[in-house]
Amino acid sequence: AQWYHRRVRAPRVIPTLLETTLVGNMGKIMKRLEQEEFTIVGLHLSRTDRLVFCVQAENAVYKMSQLVGPPDLKEAKFNHQFSLRASFASQPGDFLAPVSYTESVDLVKEHFPRGLCCPNTLDMQAEGIPHSYIDEVVDSTLSRGLDSKPCLLKPLLQTVSVVFPPDLLKPVKQSRLSPASQLITLIQNCQFDVVGARLMTIPISQFPKFRSLFKLRTEICQTFVNRPCLVLALQRENAVSCFHQILQGYSNNNSKKLLETYGHMMLTTPNRNLNVDQLRFFFDHLSTRCKDQIK
Protein backbone atom coordinates (compact mmCIF):
# COMPACT_ATOMS: atom_id res chain seq x y z
CA ALA A 1 0.00 0.00 0.00
CA GLN A 2 2.87 2.36 0.80
CA TRP A 3 4.44 1.71 -2.65
CA TYR A 4 1.08 2.37 -4.30
CA HIS A 5 0.66 5.63 -2.36
CA ARG A 6 4.07 6.82 -3.55
CA ARG A 7 3.22 6.02 -7.15
CA VAL A 8 -0.12 7.85 -7.21
CA ARG A 9 0.73 10.91 -5.09
CA ALA A 10 0.19 14.27 -6.79
CA PRO A 11 3.16 15.71 -8.72
CA ARG A 12 5.40 17.92 -6.59
CA VAL A 13 4.72 21.64 -6.98
CA ILE A 14 8.17 22.97 -6.18
CA PRO A 15 9.94 26.27 -6.88
CA THR A 16 12.82 26.65 -9.29
CA LEU A 17 14.84 29.57 -10.67
CA LEU A 18 15.35 31.34 -13.96
CA GLU A 19 18.21 33.84 -14.06
CA THR A 20 18.74 36.13 -17.05
CA THR A 21 20.86 39.08 -18.14
CA LEU A 22 18.24 40.11 -20.73
CA VAL A 23 16.41 42.64 -18.57
CA GLY A 24 15.17 44.43 -21.70
CA ASN A 25 13.00 41.38 -22.46
CA MET A 26 11.49 41.13 -18.98
CA GLY A 27 7.87 41.48 -20.13
CA LYS A 28 8.25 38.96 -22.95
CA ILE A 29 9.98 36.47 -20.62
CA MET A 30 7.16 36.85 -18.08
CA LYS A 31 4.65 36.12 -20.85
CA ARG A 32 6.51 32.93 -21.81
CA LEU A 33 6.57 31.79 -18.17
CA GLU A 34 2.82 32.39 -17.89
CA GLN A 35 2.09 30.60 -21.17
CA GLU A 36 3.94 27.55 -19.77
CA GLU A 37 1.79 27.82 -16.61
CA PHE A 38 4.58 28.77 -14.22
CA THR A 39 3.50 30.88 -11.24
CA ILE A 40 5.99 33.63 -10.35
CA VAL A 41 6.55 33.56 -6.56
CA GLY A 42 9.76 35.59 -6.34
CA LEU A 43 11.48 38.22 -8.50
CA HIS A 44 14.30 40.69 -8.09
CA LEU A 45 16.86 42.61 -10.13
CA SER A 46 20.40 42.63 -8.74
CA ARG A 47 22.72 45.64 -8.77
CA THR A 48 24.73 43.82 -11.45
CA ASP A 49 21.71 43.52 -13.74
CA ARG A 50 20.74 39.89 -13.28
CA LEU A 51 16.99 39.39 -13.26
CA VAL A 52 16.05 36.40 -11.09
CA PHE A 53 12.63 34.76 -11.29
CA CYS A 54 11.50 32.11 -8.81
CA VAL A 55 8.58 30.12 -10.21
CA GLN A 56 6.36 27.21 -9.19
CA ALA A 57 4.88 24.45 -11.32
CA GLU A 58 4.48 20.71 -11.36
CA ASN A 59 7.85 19.15 -12.25
CA ALA A 60 9.23 22.70 -12.37
CA VAL A 61 12.93 21.83 -12.78
CA TYR A 62 12.34 19.67 -15.86
CA LYS A 63 9.81 22.11 -17.36
CA MET A 64 12.22 25.01 -16.90
CA SER A 65 15.14 23.16 -18.50
CA GLN A 66 12.89 22.47 -21.52
CA LEU A 67 11.78 26.10 -21.71
CA VAL A 68 15.34 27.45 -21.44
CA GLY A 69 16.69 25.05 -24.08
CA PRO A 70 20.19 23.60 -24.63
CA PRO A 71 23.36 25.69 -24.00
CA ASP A 72 24.43 25.22 -27.63
CA LEU A 73 22.62 28.09 -29.32
CA LYS A 74 22.78 26.50 -32.78
CA GLU A 75 21.11 23.39 -31.41
CA ALA A 76 18.58 25.55 -29.57
CA LYS A 77 17.64 27.46 -32.72
CA PHE A 78 17.52 24.29 -34.86
CA ASN A 79 15.86 21.76 -32.54
CA HIS A 80 14.22 23.91 -29.83
CA GLN A 81 12.90 26.92 -31.73
CA PHE A 82 10.44 27.87 -28.99
CA SER A 83 13.00 27.82 -26.16
CA LEU A 84 14.08 31.04 -24.45
CA ARG A 85 17.64 30.66 -25.74
CA ALA A 86 16.40 30.26 -29.31
CA SER A 87 14.07 33.26 -28.98
CA PHE A 88 16.25 35.78 -27.14
CA ALA A 89 19.82 34.65 -26.34
CA SER A 90 23.03 35.71 -28.07
CA GLN A 91 25.18 33.65 -25.68
CA PRO A 92 24.45 30.60 -23.46
CA GLY A 93 24.88 32.57 -20.21
CA ASP A 94 21.99 34.88 -21.09
CA PHE A 95 19.74 32.31 -19.36
CA LEU A 96 20.66 30.06 -16.43
CA ALA A 97 18.44 27.49 -14.70
CA PRO A 98 19.19 24.64 -12.28
CA VAL A 99 19.38 21.16 -13.81
CA SER A 100 18.58 19.12 -10.70
CA TYR A 101 16.12 19.21 -7.82
CA THR A 102 18.91 19.60 -5.25
CA GLU A 103 20.55 22.47 -7.14
CA SER A 104 17.16 24.15 -7.50
CA VAL A 105 16.46 24.01 -3.75
CA ASP A 106 19.93 25.37 -2.93
CA LEU A 107 19.65 28.26 -5.41
CA VAL A 108 16.14 29.22 -4.26
CA LYS A 109 17.41 29.44 -0.67
CA GLU A 110 20.47 31.42 -1.79
CA HIS A 111 18.59 33.99 -3.89
CA PHE A 112 15.46 34.26 -1.72
CA PRO A 113 16.69 33.69 1.86
CA ARG A 114 13.78 35.67 3.35
CA GLY A 115 11.20 33.52 1.58
CA LEU A 116 8.82 33.40 -1.37
CA CYS A 117 5.52 35.14 -2.05
CA CYS A 118 3.42 31.98 -1.86
CA PRO A 119 1.67 29.73 0.68
CA ASN A 120 3.53 26.90 2.34
CA THR A 121 3.61 23.42 0.78
CA LEU A 122 4.70 20.11 2.28
CA ASP A 123 7.62 19.92 -0.18
CA MET A 124 8.80 23.45 0.66
CA GLN A 125 8.48 22.65 4.36
CA ALA A 126 10.48 19.45 3.93
CA GLU A 127 13.26 21.33 2.10
CA GLY A 128 13.29 24.26 4.54
CA ILE A 129 12.31 26.85 1.90
CA PRO A 130 10.73 29.89 3.63
CA HIS A 131 7.26 30.90 2.43
CA SER A 132 4.62 33.63 2.85
CA TYR A 133 7.30 36.28 2.68
CA ILE A 134 6.31 39.64 4.12
CA ASP A 135 8.69 42.30 2.83
CA GLU A 136 11.32 43.70 5.19
CA VAL A 137 12.95 46.18 2.79
CA VAL A 138 10.10 48.70 2.53
CA ASP A 139 10.88 51.63 4.79
CA SER A 140 8.14 53.97 6.00
CA THR A 141 10.71 56.17 7.74
CA LEU A 142 12.33 56.93 4.35
CA SER A 143 15.73 56.75 6.03
CA ARG A 144 17.47 55.88 2.76
CA GLY A 145 18.70 58.69 0.52
CA LEU A 146 18.58 59.01 -3.27
CA ASP A 147 21.75 60.18 -4.99
CA SER A 148 20.85 61.59 -8.41
CA LYS A 149 23.54 62.29 -10.99
CA PRO A 150 22.68 64.42 -14.04
CA CYS A 151 23.08 62.70 -17.41
CA LEU A 152 24.66 65.19 -19.81
CA LEU A 153 23.61 63.28 -22.95
CA LYS A 154 20.04 62.92 -21.70
CA PRO A 155 19.25 65.85 -19.39
CA LEU A 156 15.56 64.86 -19.18
CA LEU A 157 16.32 61.30 -17.97
CA GLN A 158 14.14 60.37 -14.99
CA THR A 159 13.48 57.28 -12.83
CA VAL A 160 9.85 56.49 -12.04
CA SER A 161 8.38 54.04 -9.54
CA VAL A 162 5.45 51.95 -10.86
CA VAL A 163 3.44 49.48 -8.78
CA PHE A 164 1.49 46.62 -10.37
CA PRO A 165 -1.20 45.67 -7.82
CA PRO A 166 -2.02 42.00 -7.04
CA ASP A 167 -5.02 42.04 -9.39
CA LEU A 168 -2.74 42.85 -12.36
CA LEU A 169 -0.58 39.78 -11.63
CA LYS A 170 -3.39 37.25 -12.09
CA PRO A 171 -3.43 35.56 -15.52
CA VAL A 172 -6.58 36.14 -17.57
CA LYS A 173 -8.22 32.78 -18.36
CA GLN A 174 -8.59 33.18 -22.11
CA SER A 175 -4.96 34.15 -22.81
CA ARG A 176 -3.22 32.68 -19.71
CA LEU A 177 -1.33 36.01 -19.62
CA SER A 178 -1.44 38.50 -16.76
CA PRO A 179 -2.19 42.16 -17.53
CA ALA A 180 1.15 42.96 -15.83
CA SER A 181 3.28 40.96 -18.29
CA GLN A 182 1.47 42.59 -21.22
CA LEU A 183 1.80 46.09 -19.74
CA ILE A 184 5.52 45.59 -19.01
CA THR A 185 6.06 44.44 -22.60
CA LEU A 186 4.33 47.62 -23.81
CA ILE A 187 6.36 49.76 -21.38
CA GLN A 188 9.62 48.26 -22.63
CA ASN A 189 8.52 48.76 -26.24
CA CYS A 190 8.22 52.45 -25.30
CA GLN A 191 11.97 52.50 -24.46
CA PHE A 192 11.59 52.42 -20.67
CA ASP A 193 14.59 50.73 -19.06
CA VAL A 194 13.93 48.48 -16.03
CA VAL A 195 16.46 49.51 -13.35
CA GLY A 196 14.71 48.04 -10.31
CA ALA A 197 12.29 45.14 -9.84
CA ARG A 198 10.84 43.47 -6.76
CA LEU A 199 7.93 41.10 -6.11
CA MET A 200 6.77 41.75 -2.56
CA THR A 201 3.97 41.50 -0.06
CA ILE A 202 3.70 44.86 1.73
CA PRO A 203 3.45 44.51 5.54
CA ILE A 204 0.18 45.81 6.98
CA SER A 205 2.25 47.93 9.38
CA GLN A 206 3.54 49.86 6.33
CA PHE A 207 0.08 50.48 4.85
CA PRO A 208 -0.40 54.01 6.29
CA LYS A 209 2.78 55.24 4.57
CA PHE A 210 2.01 53.27 1.39
CA ARG A 211 -1.47 54.78 1.28
CA SER A 212 -0.20 58.34 1.77
CA LEU A 213 2.56 57.97 -0.88
CA PHE A 214 0.01 56.96 -3.52
CA LYS A 215 -3.07 58.83 -2.23
CA LEU A 216 -4.98 55.53 -2.17
CA ARG A 217 -8.55 54.88 -1.11
CA THR A 218 -9.02 52.29 1.65
CA GLU A 219 -10.71 49.78 -0.65
CA ILE A 220 -7.69 49.83 -3.01
CA CYS A 221 -5.34 49.25 -0.07
CA GLN A 222 -7.42 46.24 0.98
CA THR A 223 -6.58 44.46 -2.29
CA PHE A 224 -2.90 44.40 -1.22
CA VAL A 225 -3.47 42.64 2.12
CA ASN A 226 -1.37 39.44 2.24
CA ARG A 227 -1.06 39.43 -1.57
CA PRO A 228 2.09 40.05 -3.63
CA CYS A 229 2.50 43.07 -5.89
CA LEU A 230 5.27 43.89 -8.37
CA VAL A 231 7.22 47.15 -8.10
CA LEU A 232 9.41 48.42 -10.94
CA ALA A 233 11.81 51.35 -11.20
CA LEU A 234 11.86 52.54 -14.81
CA GLN A 235 14.29 54.97 -16.45
CA ARG A 236 13.56 57.08 -19.52
CA GLU A 237 13.41 60.70 -20.58
CA ASN A 238 10.34 62.33 -18.94
CA ALA A 239 9.54 59.01 -17.19
CA VAL A 240 7.99 60.70 -14.15
CA SER A 241 6.28 63.69 -15.71
CA CYS A 242 4.82 61.94 -18.78
CA PHE A 243 4.56 58.20 -17.97
CA HIS A 244 0.97 57.63 -19.10
CA GLN A 245 1.21 60.07 -22.02
CA ILE A 246 4.25 58.21 -23.40
CA LEU A 247 2.39 54.88 -23.28
CA GLN A 248 -0.65 56.38 -25.02
CA GLY A 249 1.54 57.93 -27.71
CA TYR A 250 3.21 54.63 -28.63
CA SER A 251 0.13 52.42 -28.50
CA ASN A 252 -1.60 50.64 -31.39
CA ASN A 253 -5.19 49.31 -31.31
CA ASN A 254 -4.33 46.27 -29.18
CA SER A 255 -2.30 48.19 -26.64
CA LYS A 256 -4.89 50.99 -26.53
CA LYS A 257 -7.45 48.41 -25.39
CA LEU A 258 -4.95 47.06 -22.83
CA LEU A 259 -4.35 50.57 -21.47
CA GLU A 260 -8.04 51.43 -21.41
CA THR A 261 -8.80 48.27 -19.41
CA TYR A 262 -5.81 48.12 -17.05
CA GLY A 263 -3.65 51.24 -17.43
CA HIS A 264 -5.40 53.13 -14.62
CA MET A 265 -4.60 50.30 -12.17
CA MET A 266 -0.82 50.92 -12.33
CA LEU A 267 0.20 53.09 -9.37
CA THR A 268 2.56 55.97 -10.12
CA THR A 269 2.75 59.76 -9.76
CA PRO A 270 3.83 62.70 -11.96
CA ASN A 271 5.01 64.50 -8.80
CA ARG A 272 8.82 64.31 -8.69
CA ASN A 273 9.23 64.69 -4.93
CA LEU A 274 6.57 62.09 -4.21
CA ASN A 275 8.18 59.76 -6.75
CA VAL A 276 11.56 60.05 -5.00
CA ASP A 277 9.89 59.07 -1.72
CA GLN A 278 8.25 56.07 -3.43
CA LEU A 279 11.65 54.86 -4.69
CA ARG A 280 13.14 55.29 -1.20
CA PHE A 281 10.17 53.44 0.31
CA PHE A 282 10.41 50.36 -1.93
CA PHE A 283 14.06 49.93 -2.90
CA ASP A 284 17.34 49.44 -1.07
CA HIS A 285 19.27 49.37 -4.38
CA LEU A 286 18.85 50.07 -8.09
CA SER A 287 20.80 48.83 -11.11
CA THR A 288 24.22 50.37 -11.64
CA ARG A 289 22.85 51.52 -15.03
CA CYS A 290 20.49 53.90 -13.24
CA LYS A 291 21.47 57.55 -12.87
CA ASP A 292 19.78 57.48 -9.44
CA GLN A 293 21.23 55.37 -6.63
CA ILE A 294 19.77 54.50 -3.24
CA LYS A 295 22.14 55.34 -0.38
Side-chain angles (χ1 to χ4, degrees), residues 196-217:
R198 303 186 60 231
L199 186 73
M200 68 174 79
T201 302
I202 300 171
I204 292 175
S205 61
Q206 304 281 3
F207 270 35
K209 188 64 177 179
F210 173 54
R211 185 180 174 184
S212 70
L213 283 173
F214 288 91
K215 309 285 191 281
L216 296 179
R217 302 192 309 274

Side-chain angles (χ1 to χ4, degrees), residues 1-241:
Q2 193 174 8
W3 172 86
Y4 178 76
H5 175 72
R6 283 202 304 270
R7 290 294 297 270
V8 300
R9 66 173 287 184
R12 305 178 85 178
V13 179
I14 58 166
T16 192
L17 285 190
L18 173 66
E19 194 173 343
T20 181
T21 57
L22 303 180
V23 184
N25 287 312
M26 178 182 174
K28 292 176 182 176
I29 293 166
M30 285 178 67
K31 287 163 76 171
R32 293 292 293 278
L33 291 171
E34 291 168 353
Q35 285 166 342
E36 297 298 324
E37 298 187 340
F38 285 102
T39 301
I40 299 171
V41 294
L43 186 154
H44 66 77
L45 178 66
S46 71
R47 282 184 175 87
T48 54
D49 268 353
R50 296 199 75 87
L51 186 61
V52 183
F53 294 93
C54 185
V55 297
Q56 274 184 334
E58 292 180 1
N59 303 317
V61 178
Y62 173 75
K63 274 187 72 172
M64 183 59 76
S65 68
Q66 294 297 106
L67 178 61
V68 169
D72 185 321
L73 294 187
K74 286 184 180 176
E75 184 191 347
K77 292 184 192 307
F78 189 73
N79 293 323
H80 302 264
Q81 295 97 327
F82 299 106
S83 68
L84 292 174
R85 283 188 172 127
S87 300
F88 303 111
S90 58
Q91 51 192 7
D94 286 341
F95 290 99
L96 297 174
V99 294
S100 71
Y101 179 84
T102 305
E103 185 188 8
S104 183
V105 169
D106 290 343
L107 285 172
V108 167
K109 288 179 180 177
E110 178 188 330
H111 283 281
F112 297 92
R114 294 169 175 159
L116 303 174
C117 296
C118 63
N120 197 11
T121 68
L122 288 175
D123 289 317
M124 287 173 62
Q125 197 171 326
E127 299 295 352
I129 297 172
H131 63 94
S132 304
Y133 171 57
I134 303 294
D135 194 77
E136 297 170 6
V137 174
V138 288
D139 177 20
S140 61
T141 65
L142 303 182
S143 59
R144 296 183 285 254
L146 189 78
D147 185 13
S148 185
K149 295 177 182 175
C151 180
L152 297 178
L153 294 177
K154 293 184 176 180
L156 300 177
L157 202 62
Q158 298 173 342
T159 309
V160 66
S161 163
V162 181
V163 179
F164 297 81
D167 288 340
L168 287 183
L169 303 183
K170 295 190 302 185
V172 177
K173 281 185 181 177
Q174 300 91 319
S175 65
R176 291 189 297 184
L177 298 177
S178 69
S181 67
Q182 298 174 75
L183 287 165
I184 292 167
T185 302
L186 170 61
I187 286 166
Q188 292 187 299
N189 286 343
C190 295
Q191 312 306 313
F192 283 90
D193 191 10
V194 177
V195 291
R198 303 186 60 231
L199 186 73
M200 68 174 79
T201 302
I202 300 171
I204 292 175
S205 61
Q206 304 281 3
F207 270 35
K209 188 64 177 179
F210 173 54
R211 185 180 174 184
S212 70
L213 283 173
F214 288 91
K215 309 285 191 281
L216 296 179
R217 302 192 309 274
T218 304
E219 56 267 31
I220 300 293
C221 267
Q222 292 300 316
T223 67
F224 285 79
V225 175
N226 295 326
R227 298 173 71 202
C229 63
L230 177 61
V231 184
L232 298 185
L234 302 165
Q235 188 170 255
R236 188 193 189 280
E237 290 178 292
N238 298 311
V240 178
S241 47

